[in-house]
Amino acid sequence: MSNELDSLVASARQAFVEAATAAQLEDAKARYIGKSGRLTELMKGMAALSVEEKKTRGASINLAKQAIEEALGARRQSLADAELALQLQAESLDVTLPGRHREPGGLHPVSLTMERIEQIFAGMGFDVADGPEIESDWHSFTSLNNPPNHPARSMQDTFYVDINGDDGIPYNLRPHTSPMQVRYAHAHIKKHAGKPDMPEIRVIAPGRTYRVDSDATHSPMFHQCEGLWLGRNVSFKDLKVVFTNFCRTFFEREDLALRFRPSFFPFTEPSAEIDIQFQQGPLAGRWLEVAGSGQVHPNVVRNMGLDPEEYIGFAFGMGPDRLTMLRYGVNDLRLFFDGDIRFLRQFR
Ligand code: DAH
């Protein structure tokens, strides 16, 4: 190879090494072996040579071309490698990191209790009703035989809303689910209006309730479940059967004992507090209060729009939060409302 060709190859190699990108490399290639590249021009110049000269000159040019193409190929490869390395670095993935995953969700323990209560009562022919949490004074108190200024009103330390009802009395956050007794009775009567015989009223109404109260066993927002069975011949005996059956099913304990302890509620007469007693386990022997109950007061039956001489029955109100604590052995009510995943996860 001549000096001229040697230096051409050297300069091509240099240009290729200096090309920092694939595009620059292609430019450099064009300058040497492109259509009007320097080596290509040399080849064209051979036309004027003799056959003998063409042979030796051609062989040298070919060698030079091969050397340039080799250098080009090597540089292409190294640019591609560098690009790949950059890309890999940018998209690097630490496969040793712990994976992100979604934990399976679950129902809140109180929701589990609510579902359980609904199922058991549905099995005894009870409807399930839902009602407003912001209530009128009439529904929360007066209709339940608890008129304004009656001392029984102070049994519940109620939250009031800054809006007055039609009667000029502020709305309240219902302190119990009992207003659902009258609400449901009205809806039931309306639904069966004009028909010859109205079916009995048999309903439970679970939901949120509110009182100014907060400690290990009281929360300003808590849950209640109301029950009402009203017909022409429903007695206190029926209340005992229904509630005993409910408690034994709920706790899955046939040996559970129940006690109906005389009490006072404005909306029932007579009234009873219902206590339960476990025979085994950590709570064995202790009487635990789980509900208020009683025979629906004639004034309440009247406020439902029914004749108390014709309709009689019982009502009860229980605390699903309390039932949940007893069932799962939870000792602080506030755990239910803190939202701590370590606590809630245990009920999944
Ligand atoms: N509403 C009562 C309370 O919150 C509980 C209650 C007692 C409901 C007796 C009733 C009942 O339906 O008959 O303390």
Side-chain angles (χ1 to χ4, degrees), residues 191-246:
K191 185 173 163 192
H192 297 284
K195 292 178 198 158
D197 208 12
M198 187 178 81
E200 287 188 337
I201 292 174
R202 215 182 295 174
V203 66
I204 59 163
R208 278 186 284 269
T209 43
Y210 304 84
R211 283 185 209 175
V212 186
D213 232 348
S214 187
D215 59 40
T217 52
H218 295 90
S219 147
M221 190 285 296
F222 59 106
H223 297 88
Q224 276 199 348
C225 181
E226 197 75 10
L228 174 68
W229 184 356
L230 205 68
R232 290 171 195 277
N233 193 19
V234 183
S235 75
F236 219 91
K237 179 195 72 188
D238 297 307
L239 166 62
K240 284 188 144 185
V241 169
V242 161
F243 213 82
T244 303
N245 186 27
F246 163 70

Side-chain angles (χ1 to χ4, degrees), residues 156 175-176 178 181 211 224 226-227 265 267-268 292-294 315-317:
Q156 293 149 351
H176 52 182
S178 301
Q181 290 186 32
R211 283 185 209 175
Q224 276 199 348
E226 197 75 10
F265 298 102
F267 27 90
T268 43
S293 67
F316 57 83

Side-chain angles (χ1 to χ4, degrees), residues 284-305:
R286 273 174 60 191
W287 286 105
L288 308 156
E289 184 188 320
V290 291
S293 67
Q295 184 172 300
V296 182
H297 195 287
N299 286 346
V300 177
V301 177
R302 227 170 265 126
N303 286 330
M304 290 172 176

Side-chain angles (χ1 to χ4, degrees), residues 33-237:
I33 50 175
K35 252 193 229 151
S36 46
R38 286 166 63 187
L39 191 79
T40 318
E41 293 302 325
L42 290 180
M43 286 167 108
K44 287 179 191 162
M46 288 198 326
L49 300 179
S50 70
V51 176
E52 214 36 49
E53 281 171 328
K54 268 184 188 158
K55 261 195 189 163
T56 47
R57 179 77 174 151
S60 313
I61 289 180
N62 269 337
L63 279 179
K65 196 180 176 196
Q66 263 175 30
I68 290 175
E69 280 175 345
E70 234 166 71
L72 176 69
R75 184 60 184 155
R76 270 192 186 139
Q77 188 60 48
S78 73
L79 281 178
D81 287 351
E83 195 183 343
L84 182 64
L86 260 179
Q87 196 182 347
L88 284 177
Q89 198 183 14
E91 296 171 5
S92 73
L93 191 69
D94 184 350
V95 294
T96 64
L97 284 174
R100 268 182 233 157
H101 63 287
R102 285 175 193 234
E103 291 198 34
L107 287 181
H108 189 279
V110 174
S111 302
L112 292 172
T113 293
M114 291 293 211
E115 281 198 345
R116 203 170 160 74
I117 293 172
E118 287 174 22
Q119 258 170 22
I120 297 169
F121 277 99
M124 293 189 276
F126 280 71
D127 192 10
V128 179
D130 209 10
E133 289 168 31
I134 298 176
E135 258 301 4
S136 69
D137 191 80
W138 191 81
H139 282 101
S140 282
F141 301 109
T142 308
S143 71
L144 296 168
N145 197 35
N146 197 350
N149 305 319
H150 191 285
R153 282 210 176 192
S154 59
M155 285 167 78
Q156 293 149 351
D157 224 340
T158 309
F159 286 111
Y160 285 92
V161 177
D162 234 359
I163 302 167
N164 285 352
D166 295 338
D167 51 7
I169 307 177
Y171 282 104
N172 58 79
L173 296 186
R174 63 176 182 188
H176 52 182
T177 44
S178 301
M180 280 307 291
Q181 290 186 32
V182 178
R183 280 191 178 276
Y184 185 85
H186 284 162
H188 185 84
I189 293 164
K190 202 168 155 192
K191 185 173 163 192
H192 297 284
K195 292 178 198 158
D197 208 12
M198 187 178 81
E200 287 188 337
I201 292 174
R202 215 182 295 174
V203 66
I204 59 163
R208 278 186 284 269
T209 43
Y210 304 84
R211 283 185 209 175
V212 186
D213 232 348
S214 187
D215 59 40
T217 52
H218 295 90
S219 147
M221 190 285 296
F222 59 106
H223 297 88
Q224 276 199 348
C225 181
E226 197 75 10
L228 174 68
W229 184 356
L230 205 68
R232 290 171 195 277
N233 193 19
V234 183
S235 75
F236 219 91
K237 179 195 72 188

